[in-house]
Amino acid sequence: MSATRPRIVVLSGSGISAESGLPTFRDANGLWRDHDWRQLASPEGWRRHPELLLEFYNERRAAAAQAQPNAAHRALAMLEANYDVHIVTQNVDDLHERGGSTQVLHLHGELAWARGTSPRRLRTHLGATPIRIGDVCADGTQLRPDIVWFGEAVDQLEPAAERVAQANKVLVVGTSLTVYPAASLVDFAPPHAERVVCALELEREPAGYRWLRGPATQEIPPLVERWLRETG
Ligand code: BV8
């Protein structure tokens, strides 16, 4: 009965999947270090060279399908024994779900899904299947990754903010908090909520958050154990 259990909201980014072998964006070996995100994650890039974009996401989809959830993903799923846990992720991989979390909201879309390019945006499940030019959805329009690119609206922002605003604990893990409006979610935490951030580096330290400055697979399991002990 989630109505009586305390709520934990986890705001995650690519750093939680780093130890599963998936690259982050801004770290030394991050994706944006040797790709221009304006070309590879934007409607302009899609217009100018769709095949390049499809290849970029096909490679990432295949890598994500090969990757395994790590100890941090699995620890977060354990919290569901005593808490109403909502994962709000910027990640497009499905490692939270495969790690056992059951309430996952993807702010920026999912690699395993594609959608049509008409206003109907018909979705189709891909799994690890690549998208090619000429692949169309049910309404006959070209398939594209079901991903929110730069300059595109984050439709899930409002439900995400509502979850954070009703949290008893907010855990931010593996995000540099540089991309908006996702980064603004940290400020929706209620003043009485326990707030923790786990990252190696931060562009900005969110106010009122305790910083666990270490790898997620080392920092998250002990935090989860403590939170589970709190509820007996
Ligand atoms: C929108 C797609 C409007 C999927 C992504 C100027 C100033 C401010 C904002 C803007 C601006 N100009 C434009 C904007 C808005 C823009 C934006 O924020 N730009 C940035 C670059 C400044 N935002 C947008 O365009 C958004 N849309 O605003 O729309 C609108 C409204 C109505 C109608 C139409 C339009 C859309 C943004 C979504 C972009 N899509 N991803 C994909 O390809 O993956 S962004 C991508 O980067 C991720 O999804 C994520 O959100 C983002 C940040 O990445 P992180 O996950 O934080 O990764 P990063 O590498 O940065 O950091 C890793 C962290 O992990 C570090 O802290 C590191 O220390 C830590 N770490 C590493 N290893 C570990 C670890 N931690 C623990 N353990 C470890 N082992």
Side-chain angles (χ1 to χ4, degrees):
M1 280 284 290
S2 62
T4 56
R5 294 192 298 171
R7 169 174 294 188
I8 294 180
V9 176
V10 179
L11 300 174
S12 71
S14 58
I16 196 170
S17 299
E19 291 165 273
S20 295
L22 298 180
T24 63
F25 292 93
R26 292 166 186 79
D27 290 334
N29 59 349
L31 280 167
W32 298 153
R33 289 288 177 220
D34 48 15
H35 295 86
D36 175 1
W37 54 262
R38 277 166 286 265
Q39 300 305 317
L40 287 173
S42 71
E44 179 210 347
W46 174 247
R47 274 191 300 278
R48 290 175 53 186
H49 34 65
E51 63 295 325
L52 189 61
L53 240 97
L54 289 180
E55 200 42 45
F56 176 61
Y57 282 97
N58 289 341
E59 284 169 10
R60 290 181 57 203
R61 186 174 310 106
Q66 292 298 316
Q68 293 304 318
N70 61 49
H73 296 106
R74 289 195 300 273
L76 293 178
M78 303 282 284
L79 284 170
E80 295 191 10
N82 297 357
Y83 291 89
D84 175 28
V85 183
H86 293 263
I87 308 283
V88 174
T89 187
Q90 299 168 80
N91 297 342
V92 292
D93 62 57
D94 61 353
L95 294 181
H96 279 299
E97 292 90 338
R98 285 164 55 204
S101 290
T102 60
Q103 298 184 115
V104 182
L105 189 155
H106 288 270
L107 288 171
H108 294 161
E110 298 175 72
L111 280 169
W113 287 82
R115 65 174 175 81
T117 37
S118 77
R120 294 171 65 194
R121 300 176 53 157
L122 295 181
R123 293 183 85 207
T124 183
H125 187 255
L126 289 172
T129 309
I131 307 176
R132 305 281 184 227
I133 295 293
D135 291 348
V136 294
C137 74
D139 68 0
T141 57
Q142 170 68 45
L143 281 178
R144 57 159 277 185
D146 190 20
I147 297 279
V148 178
W149 287 330
F150 288 100
E152 294 186 320
V154 179
D155 298 335
Q156 294 295 323
L157 185 71
E158 202 174 312
E162 282 163 14
R163 283 171 176 72
V164 179
Q166 292 157 25
N168 300 94
K169 300 180 188 291
V170 179
L171 170 61
V172 178
V173 48
T175 176
S176 59
L177 297 173
T178 45
V179 171
Y180 287 82
S184 64
L185 288 170
V186 298
D187 301 321
F188 282 80
H192 60 71
E194 181 179 356
R195 285 156 281 171
V196 181
V197 53
C198 171
L200 305 181
E201 299 303 331
L202 285 172
E203 296 269 315
R204 72 176 176 104
E205 279 191 60
Y209 283 75
R210 180 161 57 86
W211 183 2
L212 300 177
R213 192 168 190 168
T217 58
Q218 285 175 34
E219 300 293 344
I220 301 302
L223 176 70
V224 163
E225 274 168 40
R226 179 162 70 75
W227 281 352
L228 287 172
R229 272 201 308 275
E230 266 178 26
T231 50

